[in-house]
Amino acid sequence: MRAVVMYAPGDIRVEEREDPEIVAPTDAIIRLPATCVCGSDLWPYRGVEKHDGPVPMGHEYVGVVEEVGDEVTSVEPGQFVVGSFFASDNTCEICRAGYQSRCVNAVPMATIGTQAQRARVPMADGTLVATPGMPGADLIPDLLAASDVLGTGWFAAVAAEAGPGKTVAVVGDGAVGLLGVLAAKQLGAERIVAFSRHADRQRLAVEFGATDIVTERGDEGVAKIKEMTGGLGAHSVIEAVGTQESMMQAVRSTRPGGHIGYVGVAHGVALPGLELFYAAVHLHGGPAPVRRFLPDLIRLIWDRTIRPGRVFDLELPLEQAAEGYRAMDERRAVKVLLRP
Ligand SMILES: [Zn+2]
């Protein structure tokens, strides 16, 4: 099969790899009609995260089940499925508490690589959720978004306790931040402030439910949020970047007693203890337990209540994956969909 492999930072290739096979009786093999490039793929692409190449790439996926192991009971060949970027058993104590991304048996799908024509999904019963039927082509980008960026934005909004009567601020205008806006809207937030200085991303934020756009960032952005909230700060803040600047912007934009949902993969973030102490905010985040939300997200997509696939603004054949990475790295695209 054809698959995306990274040899070194900036060196993305599409090459022939062994077709996946059932390894454990709990595995499933899926064929992907679409896959995509994640903002978090840019950390190794830019050399910020070190990997000894060549490594398979990709962790987001949807697909048609082709084969299942002997112990798989909840999905069968021919079904269309969506899964999270962490495979999970969905039965351990951590999973049952709703934190499947930290399952005691979790397998990062990035180690398998889903920017490929096929993929092996471990713990298929725990990991995969079947859609009500075979989706039309128009729904596939929406379902693919649920695999990570929508699920992650949703978790951030839940962790930030977005809801009726709340002012929600969103730091980060990548796909996750934009879908955090969508999630906050669905959860009933009263006012949703998106930090963004790019016209195309601002438009999408408004389409997803942002009521206000703030172009300032850092402490100037914080001052703007304070000004909009009678000096108090937002009730709920979504952090979807993962840098020191974005994290401090989130902490300082939140009112005392408010909640921060942080889902940007932290790189070089060090929180000053004394400032955090006096901020008196709730901090909750980490790798999103997308599996917890998948059944609800699939229903909202199936009913066409939400269209999260709007974040894909560039579509390329899998063979042109390198161009997809470049476009996201240069911020020419919000999110790139690849057709295997
Ligand atoms: Zn588990």
Side-chain angles (χ1 to χ4, degrees):
M1 67 169 182
R2 304 294 290 170
V4 177
V5 176
M6 190 176 75
Y7 277 74
D11 184 359
I12 296 289
R13 304 183 201 174
V14 180
E15 55 184 38
E16 211 50 40
R17 266 179 58 203
E18 287 288 312
D19 267 311
E21 287 177 357
I22 300 285
V23 177
T26 47
D27 287 345
I29 305 294
I30 62 166
R31 179 173 46 77
L32 290 84
T35 180
C36 52
V37 184
C38 185
S40 65
D41 293 329
L42 296 179
W43 294 110
Y45 183 78
R46 290 169 174 161
V48 180
E49 261 173 36
K50 303 286 178 222
H51 293 277
D52 287 324
V55 289
M57 294 298 290
H59 54 266
E60 296 155 283
Y61 59 97
V62 292
V64 179
V65 177
E66 288 200 322
E67 194 186 344
V68 296
D70 292 341
E71 289 175 23
V72 174
T73 58
S74 69
V75 293
E76 56 187 47
Q79 278 184 317
F80 194 92
V81 291
V82 187
S84 152
F85 55 92
F86 271 104
S88 55
D89 58 24
N90 212 23
T91 55
C92 77
E93 221 174 293
I94 304 296
C95 280
R96 282 185 282 125
Y99 288 86
Q100 291 91 338
S101 53
R102 294 305 318 277
C103 171
V104 298
N105 292 310
V107 177
M109 292 300 291
T111 61
I112 288 170
T114 61
Q115 288 163 6
Q117 290 179 316
R118 289 185 172 76
R120 180 177 70 88
V121 181
M123 297 173 282
D125 281 337
T127 306
L128 297 174
V129 179
T131 56
M134 195 55 67
D138 65 315
L139 280 185
I140 286 176
D142 298 308
L143 292 165
L144 180 60
S147 177
D148 181 354
V149 282
L150 173 62
T152 296
W154 200 277
F155 170 61
V158 168
E161 303 214 340
K166 300 279 186 76
T167 294
V168 181
V170 181
V171 181
D173 63 0
V176 171
L178 291 167
L179 291 171
V181 169
L182 179 150
K185 169 80 176 171
Q186 289 296 314
L187 293 167
E190 183 174 306
R191 194 172 190 192
I192 303 169
V193 186
F195 287 103
S196 176
R197 46 180 60 183
H198 300 86
D200 50 339
R201 294 165 192 247
Q202 292 172 355
R203 267 195 301 276
L204 208 44
V206 169
E207 185 183 321
F208 285 155
T211 54
D212 301 83
I213 301 286
V214 170
T215 54
E216 290 85 352
R217 61 170 73 172
D219 287 343
E220 286 176 14
V222 171
K224 208 76 189 173
I225 290 286
K226 291 273 175 72
E227 201 183 297
M228 297 166 81
T229 53
L232 300 178
H235 301 90
S236 304
V237 177
I238 290 172
E239 191 287 321
V241 184
T243 62
Q244 180 70 12
E245 188 193 28
S246 64
M247 197 65 174
M248 292 318 298
Q249 188 176 330
V251 169
R252 292 170 183 158
S253 295
T254 310
R255 66 177 58 190
H259 292 76
I260 298 166
Y262 64 99
V263 292
V265 183
H267 283 77
V269 175
L271 298 177
L274 195 61
E275 182 174 350
L276 195 59
F277 181 79
Y278 281 106
V281 294
H282 300 75
L283 269 179
H284 184 29
V290 171
R291 177 65 182 81
R292 188 206 307 179
F293 306 106
L294 273 182
D296 286 341
L297 300 181
I298 289 171
R299 188 173 39 76
L300 289 169
I301 290 167
W302 207 260
D303 296 346
R304 291 178 159 77
T305 304
I306 57 173
R307 296 310 305 261
R310 294 274 294 116
V311 293
F312 292 107
D313 54 352
L314 178 62
E315 187 176 322
L316 295 168
L318 184 73
E319 294 297 322
Q320 292 174 32
E323 167 55 18
Y325 276 77
R326 265 196 302 278
M328 280 183 61
D329 181 39
E330 293 164 9
R331 288 179 71 86
R332 282 185 280 118
V334 175
K335 195 164 175 70
V336 176
L337 184 139
L338 300 170
R339 294 280 182 191

